[in-house]
Amino acid sequence: MHNVPNLDEASQPLALAWADTLARTPAAAATLLAGLSAASPPGLAHHFYDVLLEDPRASRFLSHDQVRLRLKPAMQRWLQQILTATPDSINALVAAQRVIGDVHARVGIPVDLVARGARVLKHRLFDRIIAQADESATAFAAIHCLSASMDIALEGMTLAYTHARERSSRTDAAYRLFSLVQNVSTERERQRALLLDWENALLYAMASQNAEAELTGLAQSEFGLWFTHKGIPSFGESSETGQVGALVAAVDTQLQEALAHADFAARFGALQGIRERLAQIRTLMGMLFERIGELDAGSDALTNLLNRRFLPTVLRREIELANSTQTPFSVLLLDLDHFKAINDAHGHDGGDRALQHVAALLGQLTRGSDYLFRYGGEEFVVVLVAATAAQAEVIAENLRKHIAQSPVQLANGHKLSLTTSIGVAAHDGHPDYERLMARADAAMYQAKKRGRDQVVVATDALPDAPGRQALQRG
C-alpha cells in the first residue's frame, strides 16, 4: 500500500493485534463483514448519534449543524473502513484512530460517550451478522473479528486522547502559573483603578436622572471582563475566585434594584450595600494577586506578547464560556504585508522593530480583557472577548488604519510605512478551536489575495487557506 504511515512505538502493538485478528478470520466471515459495509453504515451512523444525543453532555459538540453534517458521513466511512480492513490497510487505520482521538480531545468529547456509541454499534452489527450468516461458525468468526477490530480502534483513539489531554492539562497548569500577568504589581494597580473608576461612575450615575444610560453593569465593565476572561484562568478556580464572581453578580442585581427607585434616599440606601460588596471584591482581589509571582515563561521575547503555546488553552476556555453563557467572541489573525521585503531591505533589526511597533499598537488599541499573541513570524492573533463579528470587524478596521498611519522609526532615523492584512472570524458555536483558526486564516489569506492592507470577515463561502498548519501542540 502506498504512503503507509510509520507508526510510533505505542501504536505498533495495536497494528500487530489487528493483523493477528484479520489473519485468524476465515474468508467467509471477512466476506460477510465486507457485505455489511455496503448497506449498514448510513442507518448505523444515524443510530450512533441518536444514542449520543440522549446524553445532555453531547449537545455541546453535536448541536452545531456543520458538526452533524460532517460527522455522520465520517462515521459511515469509519465503519466501512473497519468492516473492510485488510492487512495492507492496518497501519493507515491505526494512524487514523490516533488522529480521531486527538480531535476528540481537542473538542472535549468524553471518552465514555464514544465507548457507549461503539457498544451500541457493535450490538446492532452483531444482530445483522447473526441474521445474514449461513452458519453459526461464520457468524461467530465475524463477530469475533468485528469486536476485536472495534476494540483496537477505540484503544488507538483512547491512547491519543489520553496523551492529548495530558498535554493540555500540563499547558493549562503552566498557563495558570504564568497567569497572563507579566507584571503583577502593575496589573494589580490597574485592576484596582478600574474597579475604583466603576465605583465613581456608580456614584455619579446614582445621583443623576439618567443612570441606566450612563452605567454599565460590573460584569460587563473593564474590570468584570478582565476577571471573567483573564482573572479566573490566571488565578485558577478557587473559593476566592468563586466569591468574587458571586459578588460581581450580586452587585449587578443590587444595581438593577437601586435603579428601580426614583427617589435619592432609596437609591442611597441601596448604594451602601453595593459599596460594601465592592470593598469585599477589593479584599479578595488583593489576596489573589498576592499568590502570583513574577513569571515570564510563555511570552514572546521580542514583542512581550503571549506566544502561541497558550492559544489552545485560551480558545478552549472562550468556547466553553461562549457556549455556557451565550457570550460571543471573535479572533483576528493579522499578517504584516511584505515582511520579507522589509527584512531584505532593512535587515533583521528593521524587521524586529516593525514587529515590536505593531505589538505596541495592538496593546494600545485593544482592551485589557482581550488576548494578544505573536502567532509566529510576522503573524499576530487577537482574541476579542465579548465581541460579535460586526464589532470585531470595526476593531480590525481600526487596527488596520492605525498601523497604516503609524510608520515605525528605524535605527537610522528613517520611517518605514507598514500595512497589515487581517482575517476576522467570530465563534459560530463549533466546538473545535482549530476550525475557528482555519476560518480566520482563510479570511486573512483572502485579504492578502485581494491586494493586502484590508480586512476580510470569514464566511462559509471562503476557500481554505493553502498550506495551513495546525496550532502547535504541547
Side-chain angles (χ1 to χ4, degrees):
M1 180 177 179
H2 298 294
N3 298 322
V4 175
N6 293 320
L7 299 179
D8 59 26
E9 186 176 350
S11 297
Q12 289 172 6
L14 300 178
L16 291 173
W18 207 333
D20 183 64
T21 295
L22 295 180
R24 293 170 179 271
T25 303
T31 301
L32 176 57
L33 292 174
L36 289 175
S37 71
S40 297
L44 288 170
H46 287 298
H47 183 59
F48 176 85
Y49 287 110
D50 287 344
V51 169
L52 258 61
L53 284 170
E54 292 175 359
D55 191 305
R57 293 174 297 166
S59 63
R60 186 175 69 82
F61 51 84
L62 291 179
S63 59
H64 194 280
D65 288 340
Q66 289 204 15
V67 175
R68 292 197 298 271
L69 290 173
R70 292 185 181 188
L71 284 183
K72 286 188 177 179
M75 168 58 71
Q76 294 173 27
R77 289 192 299 273
W78 180 79
L79 275 175
Q80 288 169 337
Q81 291 167 354
I82 296 294
L83 292 167
T84 60
T86 65
D88 287 341
S89 67
I90 287 174
N91 279 19
L93 282 173
V94 171
Q97 309 318 304
R98 298 295 297 271
V99 172
I100 293 169
D102 273 334
V103 173
H104 287 175
R106 197 165 66 225
V107 175
I109 299 177
V111 175
D112 62 291
L113 283 185
V114 179
R116 183 189 308 171
R119 171 172 55 80
V120 169
L121 290 179
K122 272 188 187 182
H123 292 167
R124 282 290 178 100
L125 285 166
F126 290 169
D127 291 341
R128 296 186 185 190
I129 288 170
I130 293 170
Q132 295 183 24
D134 293 333
E135 51 186 48
S136 59
T138 300
F140 177 80
I143 288 173
H144 179 271
C145 178
L146 175 63
S147 182
S149 296
M150 290 187 71
D151 287 348
I152 292 167
L154 282 174
E155 188 177 343
M157 291 181 204
T158 304
L159 183 64
Y161 182 97
T162 301
H163 288 171
R165 296 298 282 186
E166 286 175 352
R167 288 196 303 270
S168 295
S169 295
R170 288 194 298 269
T171 302
D172 291 352
Y175 171 75
R176 287 192 295 273
L177 290 172
F178 173 63
S179 78
L180 303 186
V181 184
Q182 285 88 341
N183 190 315
V184 176
S185 59
T186 299
E187 191 63 42
R188 177 170 47 204
E189 291 307 313
R190 181 174 181 274
Q191 296 309 317
R192 184 181 294 168
L194 286 172
L195 197 56
L196 182 60
D197 286 346
W198 188 88
E199 185 172 2
N200 289 335
L202 168 70
L203 294 172
Y204 177 79
M206 285 297 185
S208 75
Q209 299 299 314
N210 194 23
E212 290 188 40
E214 296 175 3
L215 185 64
T216 301
L218 184 57
Q220 293 303 310
S221 69
E222 271 285 293
F223 168 80
L225 289 174
W226 180 90
F227 179 75
T228 298
H229 295 276
K230 281 191 174 179
I232 293 175
S234 298
F235 299 127
E237 297 282 354
S238 68
S239 61
E240 288 85 359
T241 55
Q243 289 177 61
V244 172
L247 285 167
V248 169
V251 164
D252 283 346
T253 298
Q254 277 194 297
L255 176 61
Q256 293 304 312
E257 294 172 353
L259 293 176
H261 296 296
D263 65 288
F264 180 80
R267 284 190 176 186
F268 183 77
L271 178 61
Q272 289 300 104
I274 293 176
R275 297 192 70 184
E276 288 173 6
R277 284 184 165 86
L278 290 174
Q280 292 174 14
I281 290 174
R282 278 192 288 271
T283 299
L284 288 166
M285 291 299 297
M287 293 170 57
L288 289 167
F289 272 111
E290 285 297 324
R291 297 177 184 173
I292 298 180
E294 295 283 359
L295 300 167
D296 57 10
S299 62
D300 175 62
L302 179 66
T303 64
N304 289 323
L305 302 184
L306 294 170
N307 60 38
R308 64 189 288 157
R309 176 188 180 193
F310 292 135
L311 183 55
T313 296
V314 169
L315 292 179
R316 279 197 307 270
R317 174 169 171 77
E318 288 302 317
I319 288 173
E320 289 173 3
L321 279 173
N323 291 338
S324 62
T325 65
Q326 307 307 307
T327 303
F329 81 95
S330 299
V331 168
L332 309 183
L333 181 57
L334 298 82
D335 187 282
L336 286 189
D337 297 326
H338 306 295
F339 187 70
K340 183 178 184 302
I342 293 173
N343 272 335
D344 290 345
H346 303 284
H348 287 291
D349 179 68
D352 288 350
R353 283 174 178 261
L355 293 171
Q356 290 170 331
H357 180 71
V358 170
L361 287 175
L362 294 179
Q364 294 167 17
L365 299 170
T366 56
R367 301 163 297 177
S369 53
D370 298 324
Y371 291 89
L372 304 177
F373 293 86
R374 183 180 177 196
Y375 193 51
E378 67 273 26
E379 291 185 336
F380 298 87
V381 168
V382 180
V383 179
L384 297 171
V385 306
T388 64
Q391 292 168 330
E393 184 178 12
V394 171
I395 294 170
E397 182 57 34
N398 185 50
L399 289 173
R400 183 204 64 77
K401 186 188 304 181
H402 273 83
I403 291 170
Q405 295 174 352
S406 306
V408 60
Q409 179 125 7
L410 300 178
N412 58 12
H414 293 163
K415 291 187 175 180
L416 173 66
S417 295
L418 301 173
T419 62
T420 185
S421 301
I422 306 177
V424 179
H427 173 57
D428 61 359
H430 198 289
D432 191 349
Y433 58 78
E434 279 280 11
R435 181 175 176 277
L436 178 62
M437 289 304 301
R439 292 174 60 240
D441 199 14
M444 189 268 286
Y445 175 73
Q446 285 301 312
K448 291 280 190 185
K449 192 175 180 181
R450 295 175 188 178
R452 297 180 171 86
D453 189 24
Q454 57 187 279
V455 173
V456 172
V457 179
T459 67
D460 292 338
L462 291 182
D464 292 338
R468 181 181 181 277
Q469 294 182 349
L471 284 174
Q472 179 178 326
R473 297 183 177 88

